[in-house]
Amino acid sequence: MLTLALVVVLAPFGGFLLQSAFGRRLPRQGDWLTIATIGASFAASCALLAKVLGGETLDPAVVAGARFDWLRFGDVVWRVGVKVDGLTAVMLFVVTLVAFLVHVFSSAYMKGDPKYWKFFAWLQMFSTSMLVLVLADNLLVLFIGWELVGLCSYKLIGFWSEKAAPGNAARKAFITTRIGDLGMVAALMLVYAQTKSFAFEDMFRAATTGSLDSQTCTWASLGLLFAAMGKSAQFPLHVWLPDAMEGPTPVSALIHAATMVAAGVYLVGRCYPLFTDASLLVVAAVGGVTAVMAGLIALAQDDIKKVLAYSTVSQLGFMFLGLGCKAWHAALFHLTTHAFFKALMFLGSGSVIHACHHEQDMRRMGGLWRKMPITGTTFFVGVLAIAGFPFVTAGFYSKDAILAGAWHMHPALAWVGLGAAVLTAFYMFRLFAMTFLGKPKDEHVFEHAHESPLPMTLPLVVLGVLSVVAGWDLVGWHTKLLEPTAAAVTSAGSVHGHEHSEVVMTLAIVAGLFGLVAGFVLFAKTSPARVAALKRPFAALERAFARKFGFDELYRELVLRPAYTLAKILSWADAEGVDGAVNGIGRTARSASRGSGWADAKVVDGAVRGTGAAVLAGGGGLSRLQSGRFRTYVAAGVVVVATVLVVLSF
């Protein structure tokens, strides 16, 4: 198993190195190389999955070579290793499969881009970083993978750096997630100070036996939650994810389905034994608020990728709600099913954008199902899956399990989840109807639309099938994989089969169907004029949703403007430059270069120059003592001895 685990992570890393060095000069700029290496990683993941289903695991404390000493500081040793259990196997399968399909899709979608070879290099490193995070046997190595994921997302979101918007979005994502990462750093230090180890088994043993007291566990788990809120775009650190849509669409699919945002849910799931009842309540509250808030914002978005982005934020909130309600298995199950149908819909949106000459405004689309039958049909499967269409789609089973856990914890939490489910079904059918149904709203866009080539449609078909069958659990594979880990990380285990399950299932069915039917009636059977008339009384609410409840403006005024104003004072930068930086149009560096204020020139530079001058003066004075004359040294010695004797005499 160790060899397979190493192949999983080293194959794409080797692809990254080769593509970075030689990709520009290889045939087809090396896309085949990166597809082959991520394909090898996927094959090794499948082999690992089969072994874990057969009852094998890779415990670094038992298997020789699975862990080695990394750094030594006297008696302190930091070790790194590879861990494979049911949770690891599921995540490896999901990450490598989605990454492989995204690579294949990208070979057609990104064709002709001047930085084609570089795109595939960073796509490989993005996949590698997530695999390092998943395979880590301790929190320190997980943190390394965590930070690499953030770096790669920065490079890929801002891939089209020649335009201002992608660069601004990349910086926003990087800074926002770094704020969250402070929580993980604090948790790392807090837990290590108590246990002297980063290994998961040592931390969990300490939490179970009481060596880590409840208060320490609560604070450490809240730090981990804060880090997860940044990566998984949970309220109030959710603002970066919709802007990340400025990157290429295949990157959006990988971020939303299997890498960056999945990392936060995985972190909470992996470190679950550290979470106390108090911190789990916070997890549930954050998830519930995020699920409903993001759903309301999605109602008023007209950019096809922005709607999908807010749906991801909402679905991630759903997973956090499940984790907070001790439905550990259900939340991780939904993470798996969501990866398939969200990758399907993002790649489907990429197919639409590619066919419509990079048009993303749904108000200019319509009727595309006739021109793009494969894309339209598979996208509709994704809509049904995320809406939880009963007894058929994967989303129904995973959502129902989370709602059952929420009902078991407190019915009010389940009603929050049901509200989010209604919103999801409604705005997703709105997206589908505006894009694929009805009459074309822009004849120019419609005329040029066409079905995408095979490298783009084949991944859609594969993901469409998985969006259905993954929830059926035909051979009990997901339960068999996760139940042992669930039993190890939480006494509650997975919440299944309690007395409220039939009630919750009925409510879940009603919620999903109500949202779908309402969306169908409003956006497929009602004229646009009539819809506009129905919306008129709610215009103020719609404006609030469209403005995303003003979070961007709030952070601009409370955080960005004070920071840039201070920079202006210190550097005497002009007001136009500060306003440009605050509004995200990228003039910070230019305006700062004009400034030469007293604080920068006199205080900062003066302190540096003054320190250097003081050292030089001290050195010059001491150098005079090194005259090389014997009598000078004797005289100095006599003076020192005399001074000591005088002091001692008192």
Side-chain angles (χ1 to χ4, degrees):
M1 290 189 76
L2 179 59
T3 302
L4 288 172
L6 292 176
V7 170
V8 167
V9 71
L10 292 180
F13 182 63
F16 164 73
L17 295 177
L18 292 172
Q19 182 70 4
S20 299
F22 308 111
R24 189 197 296 261
R25 296 183 289 277
L26 290 173
R28 291 177 46 184
Q29 296 191 46
D31 60 354
W32 56 270
L33 172 66
T34 57
I35 292 172
T37 52
I38 196 64
S41 180
F42 172 59
S45 296
C46 291
L48 276 176
L49 186 70
K51 285 182 175 292
V52 175
L53 279 170
E56 295 185 49
T57 58
L58 178 58
D59 187 346
V62 176
V63 178
R67 179 181 287 165
F68 63 91
D69 294 352
W70 180 31
L71 293 174
R72 280 185 178 273
F73 308 93
D75 295 333
V76 178
V77 181
W78 287 1
R79 297 181 175 89
V80 297
V82 175
K83 178 183 179 67
V84 178
D85 58 6
L87 177 57
T88 307
V90 170
M91 288 300 298
L92 291 179
F93 175 77
V94 170
V95 172
T96 54
L97 173 59
V98 173
F100 174 71
L101 294 175
V102 167
H103 276 70
V104 173
F105 184 93
S106 300
S107 65
Y109 186 87
M110 296 297 292
K111 191 174 182 180
D113 193 282
K115 297 184 288 185
Y116 185 79
W117 65 276
K118 186 179 291 186
F119 176 81
F120 278 92
W122 280 108
L123 212 57
Q124 287 272 281
M125 192 59 200
F126 201 11
S127 305
T128 302
S129 303
M130 187 65 187
L131 294 171
V132 169
L133 186 156
V134 172
L135 282 167
D137 78 318
N138 66 74
L139 202 54
L140 181 61
V141 179
L142 188 150
F143 182 64
I144 293 171
W146 185 272
E147 293 302 312
L148 286 173
V149 165
L151 171 64
C152 294
S153 68
Y154 170 78
K155 297 295 292 185
L156 286 168
I157 293 169
F159 183 74
W160 288 319
S161 54
E162 62 275 7
K163 296 184 285 188
N168 290 329
R171 286 189 290 274
K172 186 175 184 179
F174 192 79
I175 293 171
T176 305
T177 53
R178 292 295 76 71
I179 292 171
D181 291 351
L182 294 174
M184 185 180 283
V185 174
L188 273 167
M189 294 189 295
L190 185 61
V191 173
Y192 186 81
Q194 297 289 324
T195 64
K196 307 303 179 187
S197 174
F198 294 112
F200 291 130
E201 64 263 27
D202 294 335
M203 293 189 299
F204 300 163
R205 189 185 307 115
T208 304
T209 59
S211 301
L212 272 177
D213 60 85
S214 177
Q215 186 176 14
T216 302
C217 286
T218 297
W219 285 110
S221 58
L222 288 176
L224 294 174
L225 171 62
F226 192 62
M229 288 162 59
K231 276 288 191 293
S232 291
Q234 296 295 283
F235 169 84
L237 301 179
H238 64 282
V239 292
W240 69 268
L241 189 56
D243 286 4
M245 299 304 95
E246 295 292 343
T249 302
V251 173
S252 302
L254 197 55
I255 288 175
H256 286 252
T259 53
M260 186 137 167
V261 299
V265 179
Y266 174 80
L267 174 68
V268 176
R270 173 58 75 190
C271 298
Y272 210 67
L274 295 178
F275 283 77
T276 62
D277 288 343
S279 55
L280 285 177
L281 183 61
V282 178
V283 174
V286 168
V289 170
T290 305
V292 174
M293 178 202 68
L296 292 172
I297 295 174
L299 290 174
Q301 302 303 308
D302 295 312
D303 184 308
I304 187 171
K305 289 176 66 177
K306 289 286 180 70
V307 176
L308 292 175
Y310 278 108
S311 79
T312 298
V313 175
S314 181
Q315 292 302 300
L316 291 165
F318 219 85
M319 297 172 209
F320 276 86
L321 177 64
L323 288 168
C325 293
K326 298 185 179 180
W328 182 92
H329 183 187
L332 273 299
F333 187 26
H334 194 55
L335 179 64
T336 303
T337 60
H338 175 264
F340 298 141
F341 55 71
K342 187 49 62 69
L344 166 62
M345 287 188 290
F346 260 109
L347 294 183
S349 72
S351 180
V352 170
I353 293 166
H354 180 267
C356 296
H357 296 277
H358 298 282
E359 179 59 62
Q360 296 182 199
D361 192 336
M362 298 184 299
R363 293 170 297 182
R364 301 188 62 192
M365 298 178 186
L368 291 179
W369 204 343
R370 284 173 279 165
K371 287 288 194 81
M372 309 177 69
I374 299 176
T375 300
T377 302
T378 54
F379 200 101
F380 186 61
V381 171
V383 170
L384 293 179
I386 197 171
F389 191 80
F391 307 114
V392 177
T393 61
F396 168 72
Y397 294 100
S398 55
K399 274 190 173 184
D400 177 66
I402 289 177
L403 291 171
W407 191 282
H408 183 73
M409 177 69 71
H410 197 290
L413 296 173
W415 284 108
V416 170
L418 287 165
V422 172
L423 290 171
T424 300
F426 182 76
Y427 66 69
M428 288 307 303
F429 196 89
R430 170 181 177 267
L431 181 156
F432 180 78
M434 291 180 69
T435 305
F436 292 100
L437 301 181
K439 296 179 180 179
K441 302 176 186 69
D442 188 313
E443 289 294 338
H444 178 73
V445 170
F446 181 77
E447 251 183 62
H448 288 84
H450 54 83
E451 187 58 272
S452 299
L454 184 63
M456 295 173 68
T457 55
L458 183 59
L460 300 182
V461 173
V462 173
L463 290 166
V465 172
L466 288 170
S467 297
V468 175
V469 303
W472 295 356
D473 210 9
L474 297 175
V475 292
W477 68 275
H478 202 277
T479 301
K480 188 174 181 179
L481 284 166
L482 289 189
E483 282 293 359
T485 310
V489 301
T490 172
S491 58
S494 54
V495 182
H496 287 297
H498 51 75
E499 66 256 27
H500 298 295
S501 60
E502 291 183 3
V503 174
V504 174
M505 181 178 290
T506 303
L507 291 172
I509 292 171
V510 171
L513 291 180
F514 177 78
L516 286 172
V517 171
F520 176 78
V521 170
L522 270 180
F523 300 105
K525 291 296 183 181
T526 307
S527 67
R530 178 61 177 160
V531 172
L534 290 172
K535 290 195 304 182
R536 200 167 293 124
F538 308 101
L541 276 177
E542 187 178 19
R543 284 194 298 271
F545 299 161
R547 291 183 58 195
K548 311 160 198 174
F549 293 110
F551 279 102
D552 285 336
E553 292 84 352
L554 178 66
Y555 290 157
R556 182 187 302 147
E557 297 302 321
L558 294 184
V559 180
L560 293 181
R561 194 172 295 281
Y564 282 117
T565 301
L566 178 62
K568 181 178 105 172
I569 294 171
L570 295 178
S571 66
W572 280 14
D574 60 292
E576 179 191 358
V578 172
D579 290 339
V582 170
N583 292 317
I585 58 177
R587 289 184 287 192
T588 316
R590 188 169 71 247
S591 61
S593 66
R594 296 176 188 162
S596 55
W598 64 270
D600 192 25
K602 303 297 183 183
V603 178
V604 178
D605 290 349
V608 174
R609 287 194 296 268
T611 302
V615 171
L616 288 173
L622 291 173
S623 67
R624 294 174 185 172
L625 299 177
Q626 304 295 324
S627 64
R629 297 176 181 176
F630 180 74
R631 60 186 179 184
T632 302
Y633 297 155
V634 171
V638 170
V639 171
V640 170
V641 171
T643 303
V644 170
L645 291 174
V646 170
V647 171
L648 292 176
S649 66
F650 289 98

